[in-house]
Amino acid sequence: QVQLLESGPGLVKPSQTLSLTCTVSGGSINSVGYKWSWIRHLPGKGLEWIGYISYSGTTDYNPPLRSRFTISGDTSKNQFSLKLASVTAADTAVYYCARRVVGASRRFDYWGQGTLVTVSS
Amino acid sequence: QSVLTQPPSASGTPGQRVTISCSGSTSNIGSNTVNWYQQLPGTAPKLLISSDNQRPSGVPDRFSGSKSATSASLAISGLQSDDEGDYYCEAWDDRLMRPVFGGGTKVAVL
């Protein structure tokens, strides 16, 4: 059973950089056929895909968010991370990591529990 | 504003059948498969239906998915109190080149 667990600060000050980590167990981020994703749920709005890193290390981002987000992976720790620069109150959200199955039947098949990030001074 | 359109709420009494719609366009639902996710209170989203109508292992057959042209539907039959939560549709969008979600539908069991 694949499990994902987000970790990081729950409170970040405006203009600072947010850093979150997703630790994966029961599966390897090196496994062919998957992309390791970050998704956020903004208050009162739906889910928003941020981006993902593939098993080969390539990244892709939601175009409107591309300039502010960075996703990286650490295969030695079986973790992948998200950095968001210059946060504002509009970035307050629950952040999820999830595994994306690639191919014709693409889907997010496993999700982390989510971590609430509040941007406030 | 979500790319896929869902009703904000749906409700039914125990045992009833509830249907949730998800409306999109030719660039998403019209040309790619649809997935549905269930988010119960205080928990992470869980894959409920994949590839329009496939139930992952462990998902009861009370849940079913269908698709026609640029719209998809999730049906919950034999509604139970444990089904209360939020339900989201998702599909790949060929024009935006990313996965897109619906705004979510909150299901209440009366």
Side-chain angles (χ1 to χ4, degrees):
Chain A
Q1 177 84 346
V2 176
Q3 293 185 310
L4 299 92
L5 182 64
E6 305 90 348
S7 59
L11 181 64
V12 183
K13 289 182 167 50
S15 80
Q16 290 188 337
T17 296
L18 165 67
S19 294
L20 297 175
T21 296
C22 182
T23 301
V24 179
S25 58
S28 170
I29 66 170
N30 274 342
S31 296
V32 173
Y34 302 106
K35 294 185 178 182
W36 302 90
S37 312
W38 287 99
I39 296 161
R40 66 181 180 178
H41 192 177
L42 299 162
K45 298 185 180 180
L47 297 166
E48 180 177 55
W49 174 71
I50 297 171
Y52 40 50
I53 184 166
S54 74
Y55 57 90
S56 62
T58 57
T59 54
D60 194 12
Y61 300 92
N62 189 343
L65 309 176
R66 183 188 304 273
S67 63
R68 297 178 57 224
F69 285 94
T70 302
I71 297 174
S72 59
D74 185 338
T75 55
S76 68
K77 296 181 180 178
N78 213 32
Q79 296 175 333
F80 61 105
S81 299
L82 176 72
K83 287 191 189 304
L84 171 57
S86 305
V87 298
T88 70
D91 295 310
T92 294
V94 177
Y95 287 77
Y96 296 98
C97 57
R99 188 178 80 167
R100 178 78 166 175
V101 178
V102 302
S105 182
R106 45 198 156 191
R107 60 198 182 273
F108 296 103
D109 63 344
Y110 290 100
W111 297 63
Q113 280 294 107
T115 186
L116 174 61
V117 174
T118 302
V119 179
S120 174
S121 55
Chain B
Q1 200 101 352
S2 299
V3 175
L4 305 180
T5 302
Q6 297 180 236
S9 63
S11 62
T13 56
Q16 273 191 331
R17 176 184 171 94
V18 168
T19 302
I20 301 168
S21 62
C22 176
S23 177
S25 67
T26 54
S27 66
N28 42 64
I29 294 178
S31 45
N32 295 288
T33 59
V34 177
N35 304 308
W36 290 90
Y37 303 91
Q38 176 194 58
Q39 186 171 29
L40 302 177
T43 69
K46 167 192 162 186
L47 180 63
L48 193 65
I49 296 287
S50 66
S51 301
D52 301 336
N53 54 22
Q54 300 300 303
R55 282 186 306 277
S57 174
V59 173
D61 59 7
R62 302 187 296 106
F63 296 93
S64 61
S66 63
K67 188 177 83 173
S68 177
T70 58
S71 291
S73 294
L74 172 72
I76 309 173
S77 59
L79 192 64
Q80 299 178 0
S81 57
D82 289 349
D83 298 332
E84 282 201 330
D86 297 321
Y87 293 79
Y88 297 90
C89 57
E90 177 260 321
W92 179 264
D93 192 294
D94 289 336
R95 182 177 61 85
L96 297 174
M97 294 300 289
R98 61 177 172 92
V100 292
F101 290 92
T105 298
K106 185 173 292 292
V107 169
V109 182
L110 306 174

